[in-house]
Amino acid sequence: MHRATHGAGDAPAGTTTQRRTRHGPVAHHAHGASAFGRPPSWRALLLGGAALLPMAMVPMGGSAQSLFGGGADPTAAGPSSGLGLGGDVGGPMSSAPDAASATSSATTASGPNPVAPASTAPAAARRGQPNRDAPVTFTADEVEFDQERNLVIARGSVEAWQNERILRTDTFTYNRETGIATAEGNVQLLEPDGQVTYADRAELTGDMRNGVVEGMKARLAQNGRMVAFGGRRTDGTITDMARVIYSSCDLCADDPEAPPLWQLRARLATHDRNEQRIRYRDATLQMGGWPVLYTPYLSHPDPSIPRASGFLTPVFGSSRFLGPFATTPYYWAIDGQQDLTISPTFSANQDPAAGIAYRRRFNTGSINLTGSVGNLSGGTIAQDERGWGGHIYSSARFSLDENWRAGLSVNRATSQTYLRAFRYPSPRQLTSDAYLEGFWGAEGYARIDGRIYQSLNETDNTSLIPLVLPNIQADYAFPRDSLGGYLTVDTSNYVLLRSEGTDTRRIASRIHYDLPTQDRMGSIWTVRGQADLVGRSADNLQLGPVYSTTDSSLTEANVNARVALDWRMPFARSAGEYGSQIIEPRVQFVTGPSTGRQYNIPNEDSLDFEFTDANLFALNRFTGRDRQEGGTRVDAALRGAWLFPNGGQVEALGGRSFRASEENVFYTGSGLEDQASDYVGRVRVSPVSWLDLIARGRFDGETAANRMTETSARLGLGPVSLSAGYLFTTPNPALVNTPNASRREVSGGVSARVGQYWRVGAAGRYDVQNSKPVSAGVNLVYEDECLVFSTSYNRSWAENTTSQSYYPSGETLLFSIGFKTIGDFGFRAI
């Protein structure tokens, strides 16, 4: 047995313990990557080097992430829990004493210790530094003092502490001359950070920071457990161990001697509390007791830390555009407020590419940025798509004071093919903007912004894509007035500039007032009023998107006023133990001046119009201000509902609108082009918590033919959940690419929990109109307290409208296995 030689020295009369927080560099080393396929080209060296980079790179005085590290939620670090591996770990765990508490200096006292005044603590302790010369204070059932050898021997429920370290054992021997403390039997050492070490026997000295431990067991954060044949502690921060086992898995309750689901076995291991790392030599990863991976060196973060610099788990895969590829991300925790991830990708068919992700938090805001650069140089990439490319997705938001905040986002990319080839999100268009917005409780809001759009679709006419500078919005909702009414005012203004199209400038404001009342019969009457003031000017009306045949410019101002009287009468009856039933007729009369056809007025914000039950009673059923609804009309609907005592309901509504004017304000097929509108309605069936069915529809006013149907259903049967949907719409001229095409799709999904740990799911969408699938996917997940395994397959049949070919990365196969507190491995095929 090696004995430490540090002496405790003379102790002051009292000591005040204070909790310490250590700040130091964190080092993450990554080794043990799997071998990868050998490409036939010169890129094989880069690809193989990328796969072996985590194994070969050992930073000099820097920091690196474990190959097994990364992928974990940065906020996922939790408290210590669980039992030690390999058998009984001794008595119950107790927390360390409070940081502000003080203890008596008596070294042979038994029973509770009196609390000394904080002012008697040494200066070092008052400054937050531990006093290494503090005496060892303890309690025990029996205490013996050997004057000849100057030994203090305590037996039975011994608890000794020095500063913030607590030692519990059956027998405790303290040599007052050498300062060596020996503990035997059910030894527990509680660290200031809450981690616990168990042992059969321990010899400690120097503030219990140094010593030798036999039969060592340690319980770490996030359910981490470690067992070793023996260990040596140095300065309380370095623990060298021999014949080590580490796992975060619980032992089998029926067979505790059985190996855990996974465990790391190593000849030697070192736990560095300063660097917050655990390093292994000659390590083997075992699954169910069977070895699956050997590495001569392995390092991962201490489970107690939320984030640390180093290599993240590499991603291996194969793509018809990249060929075999490997991505080796490196994570740099710059400081407590910012981090950076660099992700180089090496592939067989393309030149190396690099991606970055930067995040920073400030006291008043945050910055997030992701980007990449790469060269599409070969493979199956079309000749006109080859060359250097890149992208940037970024956002920043800052609070200026309690009412105002400002933000900026820059989102640009060279092409959609580049994004899909390198597996980045690839929307049809990207928006960049800068804005200033203000909030005044729930009543007021204001925003001014400028926007730039980028189309990634080859068929779009980029000259018609506007620059919005500025766009101004503001609204305010006044409190309820003395009459019981509600007044809101708002404004919506913009300037749109196009390189070869119509330029538009608009100022618009709206005042809206609602006054609900109730008569003696129970009828609810609501008087509504709305006034829109719109002023606009436009140039180049003969160009797109207006294409006027009469005017080339426009300057005008107009007012549109609408008043309405809304009546509804809810008839309710009791259904006894089955709840209550409601039948509610509703009629609204709306009138105002006619607005005309408005064909030569630029339409920038009212293109996406859809007539449904949701806007049947709206005073202006257009979505924006560029189109105004006028004239006189009557809206009518009948609603019925059955409300159940358990909170469930069955509801149905049907309605229709009648216009006095024959002017063509709405486009053909909208449902409002005739004086008598289409029928609109909805049905909701949700009698119990596990069933929810919603259907909306629009039907021709003369033939009752289906013109729009949207349904969604959810059925939950214990561990199984089913969903289904159906969508049918008639042609919409607002859709530039397919203005004359109907849309008919069905979708469905299923998810199920199989047993305690398994989850399985599948989903798909099918285009009935064109008789072809749209998307499909399946996934399988296993998750317990220490392991996550998932596999998924997804396929998209989206086509490039120019080349009539499928987009890159339309098919993905992914395998991932994660060892909690250590990291995960994955393979992706595209």
Side-chain angles (χ1 to χ4, degrees), residues 50-69:
L52 297 176
L53 179 61
M55 298 178 61
M57 191 170 194
V58 180
M60 299 300 293
S63 56
Q65 172 80 11
S66 166
L67 176 62
F68 291 86

Side-chain angles (χ1 to χ4, degrees), residues 404 436-440 443-449 471-478 488-494 506 508-511 625:
W404 291 94
L436 174 68
E437 57 184 353
F439 304 84
W440 294 269
E443 296 82 18
Y445 174 76
R447 176 185 173 105
I448 178 171
D449 65 65
N471 178 58
I472 303 174
Q473 295 177 319
D475 60 72
Y476 190 84
F478 291 89
T488 61
V489 295
D490 65 53
T491 182
S492 176
N493 319 288
Y494 62 73
R506 189 197 73 184
S509 61
R510 171 176 291 177
I511 301 175
R625 310 295 171 87

Side-chain angles (χ1 to χ4, degrees), residues 6-15 105 107 122 131-136 150 162 174-179:
H6 294 79
D10 295 332
T15 176
S105 62
T107 59
N131 179 19
R132 298 193 179 187
D133 292 333
V136 176
N150 202 15
Q162 188 177 33
Y174 179 65
N175 190 319
R176 301 186 66 181
E177 293 182 357
T178 63

Side-chain angles (χ1 to χ4, degrees), residues 348-362:
N349 296 339
Q350 309 297 335
D351 290 339
I356 63 168
Y358 175 76
R359 303 181 301 176
R360 176 161 186 174
R361 288 192 177 275
F362 301 86

Side-chain angles (χ1 to χ4, degrees), residues 643-654:
L643 308 179
F644 300 101
N646 64 353
Q649 63 173 295
V650 175
E651 182 202 30
L653 179 143

